[in-house]
Amino acid sequence: MLVRMLFALVIFLVSVFPAYAGEKAPQPQETKAAGGQETKTAGAGEAASPDAAKAPREEELAVTTHSMKLGGAIISYTATAGYLVIKDEAGKAKADIFFTAYTRSPQAEPAKRPITFAFNGGPGASSVWLHLGALGPKRVVTPKGNGPAPAPYQVTDNEYSWLSFTDLVFIDPVGTGFSRPAPGENAKQFFGTKEDTQSMGDFIRLYATRFGRWQSPKFLAGESYGSYRAAALAEHLYEQFGMDVNGLVLISPALNFQTFSAELGNDLAYILQVPAYAATAWYHHKLGPDLQKDMKTTVEEAEKWAAGDYAKALMQGDAIPKDERDGTVQMLARYTGLPESYIADKNLRIPRSGFLSELLRAENLTVSLMDGRQTQVGHGRGFHNDPAMAMTISAYTAALNDILRNELKVKNDLPYIYLSEEANSQWNYGSGMRGYVNVMGELQEAIQRTKYLKVFAACGYFDLNTSYFGCRYTLGHLGLNEALRGNLRIGNYEGGHMLYTYEPALQKLSSDVAEFFKSALQEP
């Protein structure tokens, strides 16, 4: 599957659970975490029991207090980082899920303070991107220009943090970050759409229980495949635990894989990609003079043509008349900046890989899949070396390792797995294996059931991975009645897949989401 190939990376899970045979079991000591939450930790110098290899990791939580300038004022917040152990009904440990939570201090009444559970996608991605790129109290400053900056990386207080209007919990799914299966448990049981929804739902329920947040307004924020996870969780949490959520924030969403899985027999993906091609070609000055005047005017024209004449042309398949075929070739060249000969050779259907390699071939440059504004010299060398990804991976991972251990006082020697090839390559897409992975049904059901669930989607014009036009198509085909269509909002940004790496887009995203929260929290 194309998506799997995109996200396959050379990172492997490591399970480290030390056992010390023949030593006396520790006697846990009671300590207090923020908000009076009790945790148990082994006493200093005490050794683990002979059964340590079989026992779940102790739920040691590192709790620290901090302050920052946010919204023109100095605010205080508490950071809580560590594990929650997910168990089955018989009490057997299944997984140790790592999280980092930020709550405003002093803590407001739970019923008055929203809480947002945030995660990235992949599948197989940790939460580091949303954590240090957009939502959290710290952010990595993305260098201007084309390419990553060398260490040391610049980290600053995030003046656009969502902490101004919601508490935040960043979750690393099993197999990512510091999260691991419990000793003796097979990691594969967590690698799948259904399996992932179950384990992440178990975590959210347990967190709400342990930290007294059942009455809090709840939001889910997911990026890319994380948007699929958020939509699935919105229905799962209700069905399993009777827990509703107030809103979903979907960044660069991947809700219906048909919208970006360009292959023989699926013309929809080719149609929906054209406006993003036009935006990227505009950025690199590859369009005619009339289309170079204004990007938004250009992409709107491309949208209209793609959904109209282009869709009609592709629907005719091989029976399309020659004059109509020739006209379609000319118009595709107009909106994509690609040679007519290449388009004709590709039978009017431009694959993403072809667009990336052909647009700037004369300059010996390849365009980034994740952000069409970024380029690399020569032919593309795989997703791991995508220039937009390269701008974030080392900087974000180094910054998070430093923050967790030096500022948040987390004691953990495990490698922080930012992206797991093991999880991605073994992912079980369930019923999607017989077609296209699609969570639209669950999302439709959740909105229709509550009638107050609000959804905000944030999409980048230069995202060639999950296009903004594909997002609009998906949310516009949920089959909602007119009274519920107002529950959906879409924000378009001058950014790529990780749109927040462009500071003006990050600033607009924070403002738009703050307004969305205000709307979602109004009385129905």
Side-chain angles (χ1 to χ4, degrees), residues 145-454:
N146 189 30
Y153 309 106
Q154 186 179 354
V155 180
T156 185
D157 283 347
N158 183 10
E159 62 270 46
Y160 312 114
S161 174
W162 295 8
L163 195 55
S164 62
F165 50 86
T166 178
D167 291 337
L168 298 164
V169 183
F170 296 96
I171 313 170
D172 292 327
V174 179
T176 76
F178 291 144
S179 298
R180 302 291 190 270
E185 295 294 323
N186 190 335
K188 285 186 67 175
Q189 68 183 289
F190 304 101
F191 299 161
T193 53
K194 182 178 179 180
E195 298 86 343
D196 174 76
T197 301
Q198 180 69 54
S199 62
M200 294 290 277
D202 287 344
F203 174 90
I204 292 172
R205 180 205 63 82
L206 184 57
Y207 184 95
T209 300
R210 293 283 182 87
F211 292 89
R213 302 308 295 260
W214 272 89
Q215 280 282 55
S216 299
K218 300 173 190 68
F219 291 78
L220 305 176
E223 180 179 12
S224 194
Y225 180 82
S227 66
Y228 181 103
R229 177 184 288 133
L233 280 168
E235 191 62 11
H236 173 81
L237 289 170
Y238 171 77
E239 291 182 348
Q240 285 289 107
F241 311 121
M243 178 186 288
D244 265 331
V245 297
N246 297 70
L248 306 178
V249 180
L250 312 177
I251 299 174
S252 304
L255 301 172
N256 177 3
F257 284 30
Q258 185 180 8
T259 60
F260 53 81
S261 298
E263 56 193 7
L264 187 64
N266 180 30
D267 287 335
L268 179 63
Y270 295 104
I271 294 166
L272 297 176
Q273 202 70 28
V274 169
Y277 289 163
T280 300
W282 171 89
Y283 181 84
H284 292 289
H285 303 284
K286 294 299 180 180
L287 301 180
D290 61 321
L291 295 180
Q292 285 294 157
K293 294 178 181 178
D294 178 70
M295 186 198 74
K296 291 184 180 179
T297 301
T298 294
V299 296
E300 287 173 1
E301 183 179 321
E303 290 170 10
K304 184 177 180 181
W305 178 78
D309 291 346
Y310 184 45
K312 179 184 175 183
L314 296 191
M315 282 291 290
Q316 297 176 71
D318 297 339
I320 185 173
K322 184 180 184 305
D323 60 340
E324 192 170 344
R325 175 187 173 87
D326 292 344
T328 303
V329 167
Q330 293 170 6
M331 293 301 291
L332 263 180
R334 169 176 167 79
Y335 292 121
T336 65
L338 297 184
E340 292 184 13
S341 58
Y342 175 83
I343 295 170
D345 183 62
K346 292 299 179 180
N347 196 26
L348 312 181
R349 294 158 178 85
I350 303 171
R352 289 181 298 184
S353 59
F355 180 81
L356 302 182
S357 62
E358 293 298 321
L359 182 66
L360 302 178
R361 179 175 288 277
E363 291 93 327
N364 193 32
L365 297 174
T366 299
V367 172
S368 164
L369 172 72
M370 308 302 277
D371 188 334
R373 298 170 300 176
Q374 303 294 318
T375 61
Q376 60 183 344
V377 177
H379 297 296
R381 294 181 296 276
F383 174 77
H384 199 186
N385 292 304
D386 182 281
M389 289 298 297
M391 291 182 72
T392 63
I393 289 176
S394 296
Y396 282 38
T397 306
L400 188 64
N401 274 282
D402 180 68
I403 290 169
L404 287 176
R405 294 181 172 95
N406 295 326
E407 295 187 23
L408 304 190
K409 308 305 179 184
V410 172
K411 296 179 180 179
N412 196 323
D413 289 335
L414 289 176
Y416 188 89
I417 299 176
Y418 62 94
L419 278 166
S420 168
E421 179 187 14
E422 183 175 2
N424 184 268
S425 63
Q426 298 183 28
W427 204 259
N428 175 18
Y429 286 95
S431 61
M433 296 292 286
R434 297 188 293 274
Y436 293 101
V437 180
N438 190 336
V439 76
M440 291 171 65
E442 289 87 340
L443 182 57
Q444 178 203 57
E445 191 169 337
I447 295 172
Q448 290 183 159
R449 173 175 47 77
T450 67
K451 295 183 173 56
Y452 59 76
L453 174 65
K454 302 293 179 66

